[in-house]
Amino acid sequence: MTLNTNCTFLENELLDAARLFKNRPETIIHAFRFENGVFYNAFEVDGKCYAFEDIEPVENELVFKRLERRFAKLRLYEILSESYGERMPWGALTGIRPTKLAYTEMESGRDFVPLFQRMHVSDENTELVRRTIETQKGIYEKKDGNTDVFVSLPFCPSKCAYCSFITAPIEKTRGFLPAYLDCLDKELLAAKDSVHNLRSVYIGGGTPFALDAPYLQRVLQAVAPIGQLKKGVEYTVEAGRPDVFDEEKLRLLKDFGVNRICINPQTFSDETLKKIGRKHTVADFYRAYEMSEKYGFIVNIDLIAGLTDETYDTFCKGVESAVATGADNITVHCLSLKSGAKMKEEISYIEDERISDMVLASRRILSRAGYQPYYMYRQKYQAGNNENVGWTKAGKACVYNIDVMEETADNLAVGANAISKRVFTQLGRIDRFASQKDLKTYIENIDEIIVKKRKFFE
């Protein structure tokens, strides 16, 4: 597929819209102009010509850019949807944060539903957004100076077949650990004065529990002074795979004030676990869950729809098994294959209707069990153009996940491949600072990173 447009700004937006479809045209020619308050979009798609005029008030440059993208994507989506007889669950929306778009409408004094209808979002997904926003009430807060802290521990027992992260098996990266933890100590110490109104702390991976207890203790000690971390602040450790759990690590978390953990089976099928390269069993998950219960953590369980050869029935039984544990949060991801994932080498893209059926079934099962959606996001190359949704019991939603997905608070992120954000609510602007991805380069550049990040947060 080739695309030619007279507006470079819209090139990636149009490509994203075209890639939603299994069937795609060989050529797309696009021309855009804006005159007298009218957005003009003209297309030639495989030799057929189309022209559209859209009128919408333009208050400033930010609104103009938003509408420029919106109308171009919408009109190309409508052409391709009509041509190929395909409809997407999120219509012409290609962004990763549907709820953020809804909030933008609401903050402008408008109901978001008409916009979602105009963008051809399904009724089911529009309702999912409404429910998510309802669950976020009392947590969602746009306020300059609010800060979340993220600590990156990119180490895992092994690399899963679907994973595109920078993580590598810890046996190959263990030699970097002492120097890496020295760098985290330095970064966290330097970052202390950049934390203002601390909302939450999140130690993620990778698999943080892949670290032996003494190393894990070093990380927890380095985090402790951040923002004068006090009892009651939301503090999450994405402990990870069940096969690396033990009592010593769990006691450490409790001693340092951690109040939330993630135990991530991804599936309740031993056969699927083998196929995706996991080194644990379903029995290992139950052992880790039971071990964790006595410490009183709020627990999240992760599941993935669309894993290798997993059937609809097997997935649904997995969701029901997750519910049966009594977990406070259950996150349902939809498989997304990016460059670097082993499965990406085996199948270029999954177009399987049963995966969308799995996602819809998970919504029914979790809703029936009393869970509510509390955050969501989408990814490129996601099977069936679906989404990832975090579900929660009443009063157990994760502040960090809401802040990050809605981009309402600064995110002070330390470690390799950590991306810090500054949110300027009044200016409607978000600035980003990314640290180097690989361990060796991060370690070699730590002093420069600290200087630049301090300036970034001044």
Side-chain angles (χ1 to χ4, degrees):
M1 182 180 68
T2 59
L3 169 72
N4 294 307
T5 176
N6 67 340
C7 183
T8 306
F9 172 72
L10 291 173
E11 185 172 353
N12 288 333
E13 303 289 337
L14 293 170
L15 286 171
D16 284 345
R19 290 181 185 128
L20 294 173
F21 295 86
K22 289 182 287 186
N23 298 297
R24 295 169 191 164
E26 291 185 12
T27 59
I28 299 173
I29 299 172
H30 169 254
F32 169 79
R33 61 190 173 91
F34 179 73
E35 290 180 4
N36 301 319
V38 181
F39 293 83
Y40 295 93
N41 283 284
F43 294 90
E44 184 180 324
V45 179
D46 283 346
K48 292 185 179 179
C49 295
Y50 309 83
F52 303 93
E53 299 178 10
D54 293 287
I55 302 174
E56 195 85 22
V58 177
E59 301 148 19
N60 52 48
E61 183 69 14
L62 188 65
V63 172
F64 171 76
K65 290 294 185 184
R66 184 187 303 146
L67 294 174
E68 183 182 9
R69 288 192 297 264
R70 180 179 299 169
F71 291 132
K73 287 193 297 186
L74 170 62
R75 296 315 186 180
L76 180 58
Y77 172 87
E78 290 175 336
I79 292 168
L80 299 181
S81 181
E82 179 68 25
S83 298
Y84 301 126
E86 296 180 45
R87 292 198 65 180
M88 301 300 138
W90 289 99
L93 298 187
T94 60
I96 67 173
R97 295 177 173 87
T99 45
K100 190 174 180 182
L101 177 61
Y103 274 119
T104 299
E105 285 295 286
M106 293 164 62
E107 287 160 6
S108 297
R110 298 184 292 268
D111 182 359
F112 74 89
V113 173
L115 172 60
F116 275 50
Q117 291 172 335
R118 186 177 188 181
M119 300 300 286
H120 304 285
V121 178
S122 71
D123 291 343
E124 294 83 0
N125 282 355
T126 301
E127 174 62 11
L128 182 68
V129 170
R130 187 201 64 75
R131 290 178 64 191
T132 302
I133 290 172
E134 183 66 27
T135 309
Q136 290 181 357
K137 286 181 177 177
I139 301 174
Y140 179 92
E141 181 178 78
K142 292 181 78 171
K143 180 182 176 183
D144 287 352
N146 281 357
T147 307
D148 300 294
V149 173
F150 176 80
V151 181
S152 171
L153 293 177
F155 304 94
C156 275
S158 62
K159 188 159 184 170
C160 299
Y162 56 81
C163 180
S164 61
F165 290 168
I166 63 164
T167 52
I170 194 166
E171 293 309 319
K172 294 183 179 180
T173 55
R174 193 180 297 278
F176 289 105
L177 254 175
Y180 186 79
L181 296 185
D182 288 342
C183 292
L184 286 187
D185 285 344
K186 293 174 72 173
E187 260 211 278
L188 286 164
L189 182 62
K192 192 170 74 167
D193 293 335
S194 298
V195 176
H196 301 293
N197 182 28
L198 182 66
R199 297 263 291 174
S200 69
V201 175
Y202 194 104
I203 300 177
T207 305
F209 265 24
L211 273 64
D212 295 332
Y215 286 139
L216 182 62
Q217 183 171 355
R218 273 197 62 184
V219 176
L220 295 167
Q221 286 172 333
V223 170
I226 283 290
Q228 294 76 51
L229 190 62
K230 56 187 181 296
K231 190 175 182 180
V233 168
E234 180 183 280
Y235 192 174
T236 305
V237 173
E238 189 182 7
R241 298 194 199 181
D243 49 327
V244 288
F245 272 62
D246 64 39
E247 293 277 0
E248 185 178 8
K249 294 173 188 176
L250 290 166
R251 278 196 301 270
L252 275 173
L253 300 195
K254 194 68 177 178
D255 289 344
F256 278 90
V258 173
N259 43 41
R260 306 179 67 99
I261 64 170
C262 305
I263 311 175
N264 300 335
Q266 313 300 34
T267 174
F268 279 78
S269 164
D270 283 333
E271 183 180 352
T272 305
L273 287 168
K274 289 179 183 177
K275 289 180 179 179
I276 63 175
R278 286 256 172 168
K279 305 299 183 184
H280 66 84
T281 63
V282 175
D284 290 330
F285 164 77
Y286 283 114
R287 178 186 63 84
Y289 193 94
E290 290 168 9
M291 191 187 307
S292 304
E293 278 188 304
K294 67 174 76 78
Y295 294 94
F297 299 116
I298 294 173
V299 176
N300 174 76
I301 292 175
D302 274 11
L303 299 172
I304 300 178
L307 291 173
T308 306
D309 298 332
E310 188 154 279
T311 66
Y312 172 85
D313 287 341
T314 299
F315 173 78
C316 290
K317 287 176 183 176
V319 179
E320 290 167 349
S321 296
V323 168
T325 67
D328 304 284
N329 297 164
I330 298 174
T331 305
V332 180
H333 300 271
C334 187
L335 186 64
S336 173
L337 295 179
K338 301 177 184 178
S339 297
K342 186 174 184 294
M343 285 176 67
K344 180 80 170 177
E345 300 166 8
E346 299 166 1
I347 43 177
S348 60
Y349 191 70
I350 290 182
E351 290 295 349
D352 191 334
E353 289 184 3
R354 75 198 168 103
I355 297 173
S356 294
D357 292 339
M358 290 176 184
V359 170
L360 293 175
S362 72
R363 295 184 191 179
R364 291 194 299 270
I365 295 167
L366 289 161
S367 296
R368 193 164 57 239
Y371 291 83
Q372 291 295 331
Y374 80 96
Y375 83 101
M376 71 166 70
Y377 67 103
R378 303 176 64 212
Q379 295 169 278
K380 289 185 178 181
Y381 313 114
Q382 197 152 25
N385 293 306
N386 287 293
E387 71 290 320
N388 308 314
V389 180
W391 296 79
T392 185
K393 289 183 175 179
K396 298 299 178 67
C398 177
V399 172
Y400 181 84
N401 285 333
I402 292 173
D403 284 359
V404 167
M405 289 307 154
E406 306 305 340
E407 296 186 309
T408 54
D410 292 347
N411 192 291
L412 197 160
V414 302
N417 200 33
I419 301 176
S420 294
K421 293 182 184 179
R422 289 207 66 187
V423 178
F424 299 91
T425 302
Q426 300 302 319
L427 299 176
R429 191 180 90 221
I430 297 174
D431 293 344
R432 292 169 173 81
F433 177 89
S435 297
Q436 283 82 348
K437 289 185 177 182
D438 69 282
L439 299 176
K440 185 173 183 292
T441 309
Y442 166 77
I443 292 167
E444 290 172 346
N445 290 275
I446 186 59
D447 292 330
E448 181 184 353
I449 290 169
I450 288 172
V451 170
K452 288 183 176 179
K453 192 173 291 185
R454 185 181 286 120
K455 289 181 179 178
F456 178 76
F457 277 100
E458 282 178 355

